[in-house]
Amino acid sequence: MASRGAGTGGATEPSEPSGSSRSARGGMDGRTGSTSTWLGAPLQQVPTPALTLDQATMRRNAERMRERCQALGLRLRPHVKTHKTLEGAELATGGTRRGIVVSTLAEARFFAAGGFDDILYAYPLPGGRLEECAALAQRLEAFQLLLDSPQALALLRQHPLPLGKRWLVWLKLDCGNGRAGVRPTDPGAMALARAIAEEAPEEVTLVGVYAHCGNTYGCRDVQAVQAIARDTTSAVLDFVTALRQAGVPCPQASIGSTPSCSHPVPEMAQLTEVHPGNYLLYDLQQTLLGSCLPEEVAIRVLTRVVGHYPHRNQLLVDCGWAALSLHGHDQSPAGCAAIEGHPELRLVGLTQEHGQVGAVDGQLDFGRYPLGSILALIPFHACATAAMHPVYYVHAEGKVVELWRPIRGW
């Protein structure tokens, strides 16, 4: 893993004596259109803090998830909210540019403009933004929505699409995650599904049912993750069976989360599709859950040492929470990030633009971490960390080969 970030001995020495912390090459900081300057550059020269992605690792992660789904006869509908990039979605869909999940309307518009279709907006229907949803529904062959209330259905009925178009709707089920969705055991769930399917078939179509098993993130091992995946699958399939027995057509059944889809259970083969997202990058959290091996984590945040403070036995680095997020600070022994190749170090503090690094035990050997040298951080949560960066440096064989620019906003 050393090729992705800092070495395993001391911190990586800067390639240029002046370093590149927040300024470099002609005064550019890597956060404007000038980022093209860094194509072909050695990874150690990029301005820090920098989010880097290992190209080969991402490709392997994408291929493995496709293979898992193919083995079960499932369609893979990748969620793109982790990276929010055209390039990442192209990789995750195997180049088809069809069948993705988004979390924001900004993402939906971005991917539609980038040539993607069959987009599922997996968020409760935003009543104040129906015009935006309607524009996407008219523009795309298949723009799909989630509903979990009769009120949301009524909103769609009040805003029918032009002749020849229908609202494509998934019923969101809450099978234990405790966020959005109707519980499949609630009497109103069956009535809502029937209403979506039958009230106005010329205006609204029931595509299927959708459940997110985000409660897998509270697990401690793969067996616990698989138990939740099995329970969620069973709840969804029981609901679909009851619908069909009641004469309500329900073509699709989907569940997902990266932990549940990284070690799928055989019962999931009875579904029609799954919708994991984080798996393209993975992160420290996923390794702790057993979703992946450490070498399958593609994301790093590179940071430079900017200060030595022997009186408190700490290094100062140029990565604060604004480049990492605070997610995980109280959820893992390493906190918000692990320091690759340096088990003797740990993050002990983060402010907006500064990180404090201390020793796990004993005194730091400051000579191993010269000013300007690079440390590679493995974030606890890739989704939260990626949201902090306007550009991702994709690398292969130690050099920057692509620059990915994510969509931002809602």
Side-chain angles (χ1 to χ4, degrees):
M1 293 171 65
S3 63
R4 296 188 189 93
T8 55
T12 302
E13 294 279 0
S15 314
E16 300 174 353
S18 60
S20 300
S21 178
R22 312 211 180 254
S23 64
R25 292 195 180 188
M28 298 300 184
D29 68 357
R31 288 160 176 76
T32 66
S34 66
T35 49
S36 58
T37 302
W38 301 102
L39 283 172
L43 196 59
Q44 287 74 22
Q45 291 183 5
V46 300
T48 52
L51 190 150
T52 68
L53 301 173
D54 187 285
Q55 185 184 67
T57 301
M58 289 191 294
R59 288 176 174 174
R60 286 193 294 269
N61 291 344
E63 182 60 28
R64 271 192 292 266
M65 189 60 74
R66 283 195 294 271
E67 290 172 351
R68 291 185 192 110
C69 292
Q70 289 167 1
L72 290 171
L74 292 170
R75 182 187 185 193
L76 172 62
R77 181 185 291 273
H79 208 308
V80 298
K81 74 178 184 67
T82 300
H83 53 85
K84 300 180 187 250
T85 63
L86 297 175
E87 297 89 345
E90 173 106 11
L91 182 58
T93 60
T96 67
R97 295 197 168 211
R98 291 192 63 85
I100 61 172
V101 186
V102 300
S103 284
T104 70
L105 288 172
E107 291 169 26
R109 288 190 296 269
F110 176 71
F111 286 99
F116 285 78
D117 209 322
D118 189 359
I119 297 173
L120 170 56
Y121 176 39
Y123 198 83
L125 182 68
R129 304 184 69 179
L130 277 179
E131 288 187 6
E132 296 171 69
C133 294
L136 284 159
Q138 293 174 63
R139 175 180 187 174
L140 297 172
E141 179 182 330
F143 176 67
Q144 302 164 63
L145 298 169
L146 289 186
L147 293 189
D148 64 0
S149 72
Q151 293 81 5
L153 176 59
L155 280 173
L156 292 186
R157 294 286 316 280
Q158 292 162 18
H159 297 81
L161 295 172
L163 192 63
K165 280 282 189 178
R166 290 175 291 179
W167 290 110
L168 304 177
V169 172
W170 293 71
L171 176 63
K172 178 66 180 289
L173 296 180
D174 177 6
C175 299
N177 188 39
R179 195 169 63 183
V182 292
R183 293 178 297 182
T185 53
D186 286 350
M190 183 72 71
L192 180 56
R194 182 181 291 278
I196 295 169
E198 297 180 355
E199 270 190 9
E202 71 283 358
E203 297 175 0
V204 180
T205 294
L206 177 64
V207 177
V209 295
Y210 179 107
H212 175 57
C213 36
N215 43 337
T216 51
Y217 284 92
C219 295
R220 294 183 178 273
D221 54 41
V222 171
Q223 289 72 27
V225 167
Q226 290 182 320
I228 289 175
R230 190 172 288 110
D231 289 347
T232 303
T233 299
S234 176
V236 166
L237 292 173
D238 287 350
F239 186 78
V240 170
T241 298
L243 279 180
R244 291 172 179 167
Q245 289 174 347
V248 179
C250 184
Q252 307 294 330
S254 178
I255 75 164
S257 75
T258 285
S260 61
C261 295
S262 294
H263 295 286
V265 294
E267 292 87 341
M268 289 167 63
Q270 299 174 69
L271 301 165
T272 57
E273 64 177 52
V274 291
H275 48 261
N278 176 282
Y279 71 93
L280 197 65
L281 309 187
Y282 283 126
D283 51 32
L284 181 60
Q285 179 178 214
Q286 298 292 349
T287 64
L288 296 173
L289 288 166
S291 305
C292 65
L293 298 172
E295 57 267 26
E296 293 170 329
V297 179
I299 185 173
R300 302 289 186 277
V301 174
L302 301 188
T303 183
R304 283 183 166 82
V305 177
V306 295
H308 291 168
Y309 298 89
H311 65 282
R312 62 172 188 260
N313 199 34
Q314 286 182 358
L315 308 171
L316 196 67
V317 296
D318 65 357
C319 175
W321 56 255
L324 192 61
S325 97
L326 288 172
H327 197 186
H329 73 95
D330 58 353
Q331 294 179 254
S332 81
C336 302
I339 303 175
E340 184 177 25
H342 291 284
E344 77 282 4
L345 299 179
R346 65 186 179 96
L347 276 176
V348 296
L350 287 170
T351 54
Q352 184 169 334
E353 303 295 349
H354 302 81
Q356 294 165 284
V357 176
V360 171
D361 186 45
Q363 293 296 309
L364 287 176
D365 178 359
F366 289 92
R368 294 183 63 193
Y369 321 104
L371 295 184
S373 59
I374 295 175
L375 296 172
L377 308 180
I378 307 171
F380 178 80
H381 189 187
C383 306
T385 297
M388 302 292 183
H389 292 262
V391 63
Y392 313 151
Y393 297 87
V394 180
H395 61 95
E397 298 180 353
K399 292 188 176 181
V400 178
V401 294
E402 292 184 83
L403 297 163
W404 292 5
R405 294 177 178 84
I407 184 63
R408 293 288 177 248
W410 293 269

